[in-house]
Amino acid sequence: RVALLAGCAQQALAPRINQATIEVLTANGVEVVVPSAQGCCGALALHSGDMAGAMNLARRNLRAFPLDAVDAVVSNAAGCGSALKEYELLFQDAPDAARAHDFSRKARDVSEFLDELGLREPRPLSQPMMIAYHDACHLAHAQGVWGAPRRLLRSIPNAAVVEIAEGELCCGSAGTYNIEHPDVAAQLGQRKARNILRTNADVVVTGNIGCLVQLRAHLAQNQSAIPVMHTMELLAMAYREA
């Protein structure tokens, strides 16, 4: 049983990601609750150095999530998940320190949780598919989750995962960076798009809404129609295959 962080931007830009996440978790025997009193994780406030604002947002989630009634607090957005795991640092000298510690210890990216759980093998895809997997910085670098999403994707029969050159480099989204430094963010986006196109993959998969939006924009600028999907969307598609 897990509690899902619904996210902010993702609910507006791509609500189907949460739907796919619940679908995949349910297919693996996991009960999912979505606490109605939850709010923003505070990641963007943290990125901007607004510690007080981040703590106010985090306190709402500390109260909203039923830690004693779930095995994990699951996020499907890398930036959000990174923030959840930092709650214990945010509150280390505050009255909520013990609760924040427990919260952070239960926080998991959904790919990390499913990899630890052991994924039920999806159905084979109707056609072979080559997947270019993009590491979101907040997943690979901040959370150290690199292998889990690749293992999940490779578990799909008829799918292959290929690496993107310079895969460790940021795509340019980086939370608020693409707004505060659009020129540099655009250079990174174009560099990432060119490296993706060199893979000749059928689809690009990532685990963060900011990356997803950035990759779509810069691939489109390169006249590419290659689809960009969240890891959970592709897994959900595989589970639905007839």
Side-chain angles (χ1 to χ4, degrees), residues 96-180:
D96 295 306
R99 179 75 174 176
H101 171 83
D102 293 343
F103 193 107
S104 291
R105 292 305 171 94
K106 287 206 169 183
R108 293 285 187 280
D109 181 78
V110 65
S111 67
E112 179 184 23
F113 175 81
L114 285 167
D115 185 56
E116 292 172 354
L117 180 69
L119 192 73
R120 291 181 181 173
E121 185 175 295
R123 295 185 177 96
L125 299 175
S126 56
Q127 298 290 332
M129 180 179 290
M130 187 180 295
I131 303 164
Y133 179 75
H134 163 69
D135 283 297
C137 291
H138 275 96
L139 191 55
H141 302 318
Q143 298 186 57
V145 178
W146 185 90
R150 288 170 168 81
R151 285 190 289 271
L152 298 183
L153 294 169
R154 288 181 178 129
S155 75
I156 303 172
N158 230 6
V161 178
V162 296
E163 297 298 326
I164 301 168
E166 300 182 316
E168 74 283 359
L169 295 184
C170 180
C171 68
S173 176
T176 58
Y177 193 85
N178 58 345
I179 298 171
E180 296 167 348

Side-chain angles (χ1 to χ4, degrees), residues 1-2 12 17 47 62 65 94 111-112 127 153 163 176 179 187 191 203 208 212-214 227 229:
R1 190 167 190 251
V2 301
I17 293 175
H47 294 171
L62 292 180
F65 280 79
S111 67
E112 179 184 23
Q127 298 290 332
L153 294 169
E163 297 298 326
T176 58
I179 298 171
Q187 291 175 28
R191 185 169 177 172
V203 62
N208 188 55
L212 193 146
V213 171
Q214 175 83 340
M229 301 175 68

Side-chain angles (χ1 to χ4, degrees), residues 77-101:
C80 296
S82 180
L84 298 184
K85 291 179 179 180
E86 291 175 0
Y87 278 6
E88 65 177 324
L89 297 176
L90 192 61
F91 288 94
Q92 60 184 341
D93 297 317
D96 295 306
R99 179 75 174 176
H101 171 83

